[in-house]
Amino acid sequence: FEASQADVSKLRELIQWVPEHDIDKAVPLIIAQERRRLADATTTHSATSTARNVLVTSASRKAPLLRAMQQALRRIHPDARVVAGDIDAEAPARYIADEFWQMPRLADNSLAELIEACHQRGIAVVLPTRDGELSFWAHHRQTLSDAGISVIVSDHAAVERCLDKLAFADFGREKGLPVINSGVTPAEAGAAPYVVKERFGAGAWGVGLDLPLDAALKHAKTLQNPIYQPFVAGVEISIDG
């Protein structure tokens, strides 16, 4: 039981607006609207008029995500199914999802086969979950949409920027955001101590922390595309959006 309540009187005073409906009335209206929207979408794409399943790619062992998707999907379509996709035939996700698809490796030259396989499984929505595949899905998002398959992914330029830590830092500085400086040389990054990490991709594999200059240069030789950042001490909070 949530025993706290926000005081929004200041908000009402500033924006001069209050919601027309309370949450008890609004949630059923939202659900009804989503059902109408999906009905309209399936009518538009007659070739996939029965498609309403969701594919979660690189499902691996992501049990909480799959269960949350099942609960959300069935509020809209009680008979819709969550398909777990993974290249590993023994991925634990196969025992959690409603259906399992041992997917081939993603490739630009096999997009037509991928679309046909999605149609055969009644897949209308794709949720990619691995950094390494986001670029593929973003690049082909419009083609998939034309085929009646929506992909939950940002546009290609945004994905590429977020996978390139140097481009991300440059973009942040251009926009006036308080990002940590990054460079391909220690001098571009600033003063020691340094963090040395791979420029592309995500995760903390191979990262070197709080290194003096000599150690930072040595560690960089073990990486493929190293970048340098000044070491900033403090608490780190990571958010996936």
Side-chain angles (χ1 to χ4, degrees):
F1 176 70
E2 178 58 56
S4 63
Q5 182 176 339
D7 179 358
V8 295
S9 57
K10 185 68 172 177
L11 183 63
R12 288 198 297 265
E13 177 187 339
L14 289 171
I15 67 174
Q16 296 294 306
W17 178 84
V18 292
E20 181 180 352
H21 305 300
D22 62 20
I23 193 168
D24 291 334
K25 185 174 182 180
V27 169
L29 290 174
I30 293 169
I31 293 172
Q33 167 62 19
E34 288 300 306
R35 285 177 172 154
R36 287 193 298 270
R37 184 182 63 79
L38 287 172
D40 291 343
T42 54
T43 300
T44 301
H45 300 285
S46 57
T48 57
S49 60
T50 60
R52 59 192 181 194
N53 298 333
V54 174
L55 169 65
V56 178
T57 69
S58 300
S60 183
R61 55 184 71 241
K62 298 169 181 147
L65 174 61
L66 289 166
R67 292 194 179 105
M69 180 62 80
Q70 286 170 327
Q71 293 171 8
L73 181 59
R74 281 165 192 157
R75 294 193 194 104
I76 302 171
H77 277 305
D79 298 327
R81 299 168 65 81
V82 173
V83 181
D86 203 283
I87 62 172
D88 180 7
E90 298 303 319
R94 71 177 304 143
Y95 303 106
I96 300 163
D98 304 310
E99 183 181 332
F100 180 74
W101 176 13
Q102 185 181 2
M103 296 181 66
R105 293 191 179 276
L106 300 175
D108 293 335
N109 59 6
S110 59
L111 182 61
E113 291 86 347
L114 178 67
I115 291 173
E116 178 60 27
C118 286
H119 286 169
Q120 291 172 0
R121 292 169 173 82
I123 292 168
V125 178
V126 178
L127 175 64
T129 71
R130 184 174 60 85
D131 295 320
E133 63 180 326
L134 293 181
S135 183
F136 171 87
W137 291 108
H139 180 69
H140 296 293
R141 183 173 65 169
Q142 187 58 55
T143 301
L144 288 157
S145 178
D146 294 342
I149 303 167
S150 299
V151 184
I152 305 172
V153 68
S154 298
D155 66 75
H156 193 253
V159 169
E160 291 299 303
R161 184 184 300 125
C162 289
L163 293 175
D164 182 342
K165 298 179 182 68
L166 187 61
F168 184 89
D170 291 343
F171 177 83
R173 280 197 304 273
E174 291 171 5
K175 300 299 180 182
L177 300 174
V179 297
I180 297 175
N181 195 33
S182 301
V184 294
T185 66
E188 293 175 353
Y194 296 104
V195 173
V196 186
K197 61 178 69 171
E198 289 285 3
R199 173 177 175 177
F200 300 100
W205 180 85
V207 64
L209 293 173
D210 197 12
L211 302 176
L213 177 59
D214 290 346
L217 292 170
K218 182 177 180 180
H219 185 75
K221 293 179 180 179
T222 68
L223 305 180
Q224 292 182 335
N225 294 283
I227 62 167
Y228 299 84
Q229 296 174 332
F231 176 74
V232 178
V235 177
E236 177 179 321
I237 301 172
S238 296
I239 301 174
D240 287 335

